[in-house]
Amino acid sequence: MNTLNRQKRNISYQSVYVLEERAEGCLVDWCYDSSHFSPKVRIALDVAKELCTHLESGKLIFSEVNGTVIYGFFEQHHQFKIRIFGCVPSEIIKQGKQAILEYVKKCIQEELTAQKMCADQRRAFYEKPDIPVQIEYGDTLLKGRISHADGVILEVTLEEPGKGTASTTYGYLSPNMRHAMFNELKTHDVPELSEHALYGARALLREAHQSWRYREKNQETIDLVRALNN
């Protein structure tokens, strides 16, 4: 469901602002596109966005900008911060408090349902992306899967020949700090791995294979040392 398709949903002047928490304090910011709103509405929406920046989860707040009633709502959903805000149409304002509350609660519930569904889909992807990856390594074709990709940790599992895993990190002070794991995310996009991450996944597959070959060659000594340390 596209959050910008207001007319089909009978909702005017509503937007959504979602922050996804990442390690090291990094955030992915999915902002609304306000270019299709009038300057007056854009100003009101910017103020409404600020209203819900520091709210407690589940809190709804109202304010006024240039005669327009605005609202902001915040809810924490897993690692996602969902902020819903908007302007109440003048025809609803004229109907009074109860009409405003009913209108806003309907707007929030509709957006919240859509955003939670999107967040759950992304969370499932991060935890188990299950993307096949393969590369020729000498005369051997290595096959495996990207088994974890949450924006911070990229992990690849080797499936054949051999078994093993290898991982790397993204974000501040990481080996890949100048690169992003995902292409730019919009509000309802399914996460898409960047070219850098896909290249890195193939390198991790080689690393996992090398580790497996090393274990195969030295397993007896590895087991002996483990027994000595126990």
Side-chain angles (χ1 to χ4, degrees):
M1 183 184 299
N2 192 318
T3 54
L4 300 181
N5 192 359
R6 306 298 166 202
Q7 287 71 27
K8 289 184 180 179
R9 290 168 50 196
N10 241 352
I11 297 177
S12 302
Y13 304 150
Q14 188 182 350
S15 271
V16 62
Y17 182 73
V18 183
L19 292 179
E20 178 193 341
E21 290 187 352
R22 293 282 174 82
E24 310 292 347
C26 298
L27 296 173
V28 173
D29 187 349
W30 307 325
C31 295
Y32 69 102
D33 177 8
S34 63
S35 60
H36 59 299
F37 294 131
S38 69
K40 179 181 178 181
V41 171
R42 284 203 298 270
I43 291 171
L45 283 173
D46 286 342
V47 176
K49 181 174 73 175
E50 292 302 316
L51 277 179
C52 54
T53 301
H54 303 293
L55 291 178
E56 296 178 0
S57 184
K59 179 74 173 178
L60 170 64
I61 191 170
F62 291 89
S63 190
E64 176 273 335
V65 178
N66 296 325
T68 299
V69 176
I70 60 176
Y71 63 90
F73 174 84
F74 164 70
E75 183 166 315
Q76 181 82 38
H77 184 65
H78 303 305
Q79 74 265 41
F80 299 90
K81 296 178 180 290
I82 300 176
R83 310 188 194 282
I84 300 172
F85 53 90
C87 306
V88 180
S90 58
E91 62 269 23
I92 301 296
I93 295 174
K94 292 176 183 178
Q95 297 176 39
K97 175 182 176 180
Q98 192 58 38
I100 292 173
L101 287 173
E102 290 177 1
Y103 170 83
V104 169
K105 288 179 179 178
K106 178 183 177 182
C107 290
I108 289 173
Q109 187 57 52
E110 191 167 337
E111 283 288 11
L112 193 59
T113 299
Q115 291 300 328
K116 283 184 175 181
M117 184 180 299
C118 176
D120 289 342
Q121 290 172 346
R122 292 189 179 197
R123 186 167 182 244
F125 174 88
Y126 296 149
E127 293 176 353
K128 192 176 180 181
D130 198 31
I131 299 173
V133 58
Q134 64 181 41
I135 188 172
E136 289 188 0
Y137 185 51
D139 296 329
T140 305
L141 179 63
L142 308 182
K143 294 183 179 181
R145 293 185 177 276
I146 298 174
S147 48
H148 189 92
D150 64 359
V152 179
I153 298 174
L154 177 66
E155 180 186 80
V156 169
T157 298
L158 173 69
E159 295 179 335
E160 59 178 87
K163 303 292 181 182
T165 61
S167 63
T168 188
T169 58
Y170 282 72
Y172 184 62
L173 295 181
S174 75
N176 304 294
M177 66 178 296
R178 295 182 181 274
H179 303 279
M181 186 180 296
F182 299 111
N183 293 329
E184 183 180 359
L185 292 170
K186 300 300 183 183
T187 304
H188 283 287
D189 282 352
V190 174
E192 181 182 65
L193 289 173
S194 66
E195 283 298 319
H196 183 271
L198 292 172
Y199 178 85
R202 291 189 286 270
L204 288 173
L205 196 61
R206 289 195 300 268
E207 183 180 324
H209 180 259
Q210 290 167 354
S211 296
W212 171 74
R213 290 289 301 273
Y214 181 87
R215 291 194 307 272
E216 286 288 295
K217 181 180 179 180
N218 299 285
Q219 193 63 56
E220 185 176 339
T221 307
I222 292 170
D223 291 342
L224 175 60
V225 170
R226 184 179 293 118
L228 290 169
N229 284 326
N230 287 335

